[in-house]
Amino acid sequence: MAVGRTNTRIYRFDPIDGDTRVVENVPAYRGGYTAMGAQYRGDDKEPLLFAVSGDRLVTVDVEAGTVSDAVVEGLPDGLKWYDGDMDDDGKKLLVASGPDVPSYTIDVVTRTATAGPCPGPGRWDDFAHHPKDGRLISVEGDNGDLLHVDPGKNPMKTVLKRGVFPPAEASGSSGSRKSYSATFFDSAGHFYAVDSAGNVNHLDLSGDAVPDRAERIGKGKIPVDGLEVVNGAGRITPMPIPPSYDEIVVTKKAVGSWQSYDPQGRVYSVELTVTAVGKAGGGGKETRKFRISFDLRTAPGAQVVASGVDITHEDGKAYLYSQTDQLLEAGGSRPVAVQITVPGDPARLPHEYPLDGLRATRLA
């Protein structure tokens, strides 16, 4: 996600537990950019991100940690851009500005722009391609209408169903818009829409029917340092477990570590203690089911073993979730003994596993 109307930074968003962190190796872009799309370069590489700022095409290489820009021939300067997404080939970026301003298709190789139909009225700030039928889907921020955006029509906007999402909220930053500014699909057709304040909503568009109401995920906003979510790009990996952002307290205690030989690396023994208290305050909360998550290297042989929980590895993270109802009274705690195997040169691996991204969420 692109965060911050100026000095824009790239944040990585985990829809399972709401973990949202700035990508530290990618520098801020002072002038700010929006209307972002992703060009995929294979399963083993980060996608290349393209966005617009005035009449410039901004290229963000997350893997290399670089941000560069160049003028686009035929793209007018001095406009605010909102919506953006790439075509299936990853060669053209469709962007839109105000209701009565032509949209533009940008060839990211030649850096030339071709004018198209006007977007039409409303406050909708991002769109995403449906993985099954290719339709561009967006959300109206003022009233939560679900929209179909057709680049072949003038205006492009058509209302699919009214009032599906709650009205969008603005962030606390100056000049923030009340809009759904970052939208994503997973490959099954589940649609996610994040508003400027960081509220995340889910709508199941995997079938023919359009549900009447979207589901608001979690008990609060994703953490983006009080800044504004301004755009999003990419596709979400299908999630094997349900999302929850109702964060509760979890602490860690290192027990010990030792060298492993199959695979070569180190095994870390830690004790994680879950406490039925909201991390953001508000006192204790009865917890029957919970999930713990933390970063885990995506290398052959990396694994987590623990008792009393089910374990899933997904995109560089481990998720440990309770198997059955395990009642914790409000304020009560429960330890979970965990062993983490990390492959690598034992001499270069730390003696204590850092457990980056450690968090726990209440499922029920």
Side-chain angles (χ1 to χ4, degrees):
M1 290 192 301
V3 176
R5 186 66 61 177
T6 59
N7 296 306
T8 304
R9 299 293 302 271
I10 293 294
Y11 282 63
R12 197 182 304 277
F13 165 57
D14 182 343
I16 293 177
D17 60 12
D19 184 17
T20 309
R21 283 178 267 172
V22 66
V23 181
E24 295 288 356
N25 70 309
V26 178
Y29 184 81
R30 183 175 180 181
Y33 54 78
T34 53
M36 190 165 61
Q39 181 190 75
Y40 287 91
R41 302 185 287 179
D43 292 338
D44 59 340
K45 297 194 71 175
E46 295 275 7
L48 196 63
L49 303 177
F50 293 98
V52 288
S53 179
D55 64 347
R56 307 184 79 87
L57 179 68
V58 181
T59 304
V60 181
D61 191 327
V62 176
E63 198 163 279
T66 59
V67 179
S68 58
D69 62 14
V71 172
V72 178
E73 182 181 346
L75 188 66
D77 194 8
L79 295 176
K80 291 184 177 180
W81 303 98
Y82 302 111
D83 308 82
D85 206 2
M86 302 292 292
D87 64 2
D88 290 338
D89 294 332
K91 296 179 180 179
K92 294 181 179 179
L93 174 67
L94 174 66
V95 300
S97 181
D100 301 319
V101 176
S103 60
Y104 284 84
T105 299
I106 300 171
D107 186 316
V108 300
V109 176
T110 63
R111 298 192 188 95
T112 56
T114 304
C118 296
R123 194 196 305 262
W124 37 286
D125 282 17
D126 197 23
F127 40 48
H129 281 101
H130 194 294
K132 295 183 178 179
D133 58 28
R135 290 181 302 169
L136 279 173
I137 301 298
S138 187
V139 183
E140 166 63 60
D142 288 337
N143 53 30
D145 290 350
L146 185 70
L147 308 178
H148 172 214
V149 181
D150 187 344
K153 291 185 177 180
N154 194 0
M156 297 192 295
K157 164 190 160 182
T158 300
V159 176
L160 288 177
K161 184 172 283 192
R162 298 193 180 279
V164 178
F165 290 78
E169 297 178 23
S171 75
S173 60
S174 177
S176 177
R177 285 165 60 88
K178 294 181 179 180
S179 64
Y180 281 98
S181 48
T183 59
F184 310 89
F185 273 100
D186 69 14
S187 58
H190 294 269
F191 181 63
Y192 295 83
V194 186
D195 70 12
S196 303
N199 295 298
V200 183
N201 299 267
H202 162 257
L203 186 69
D204 185 354
L205 293 178
S206 60
D208 295 332
V210 177
D212 291 331
R213 293 289 181 271
E215 171 196 12
R216 172 69 56 87
I217 302 175
K219 300 288 184 179
K221 302 172 178 62
I222 58 175
V224 288
D225 305 317
L227 299 172
E228 179 183 2
V229 178
V230 295
N231 217 248
R235 181 165 292 173
I236 292 173
T237 302
M239 297 187 293
I241 46 182
S244 173
Y245 305 165
D246 188 3
E247 195 170 0
I248 57 176
V249 171
V250 59
T251 57
K252 63 180 180 179
K253 182 175 74 173
V255 177
S257 69
W258 56 90
Q259 185 172 339
S260 66
Y261 297 95
D262 187 19
Q264 183 184 43
R266 294 192 72 85
V267 178
Y268 300 90
S269 177
V270 298
E271 182 180 270
L272 304 178
T273 300
V274 176
T275 303
V277 172
K279 186 174 179 181
K285 48 176 61 180
E286 181 183 286
T287 300
R288 295 182 177 274
K289 294 182 180 180
F290 61 85
R291 178 171 60 236
I292 301 170
S293 58
F294 52 84
D295 293 357
L296 180 68
R297 287 182 57 195
T298 54
Q303 63 174 330
V304 177
V305 177
S307 59
V309 294
D310 291 323
I311 300 169
T312 298
H313 300 165
E314 189 76 25
D315 286 346
K317 297 188 73 172
Y319 302 91
L320 290 62
Y321 49 107
S322 51
Q323 296 168 333
T324 57
D325 280 8
Q326 301 181 22
L327 176 61
L328 289 175
E329 299 289 347
S333 298
R334 188 216 137 155
V336 180
V338 181
Q339 287 188 0
I340 306 165
T341 300
V342 179
D345 182 351
R348 294 179 176 273
L349 291 171
H351 285 279
E352 182 177 326
Y353 191 66
L355 279 172
D356 291 335
L358 177 64
R359 62 197 290 127
T361 54
R362 178 179 175 272
L363 302 179

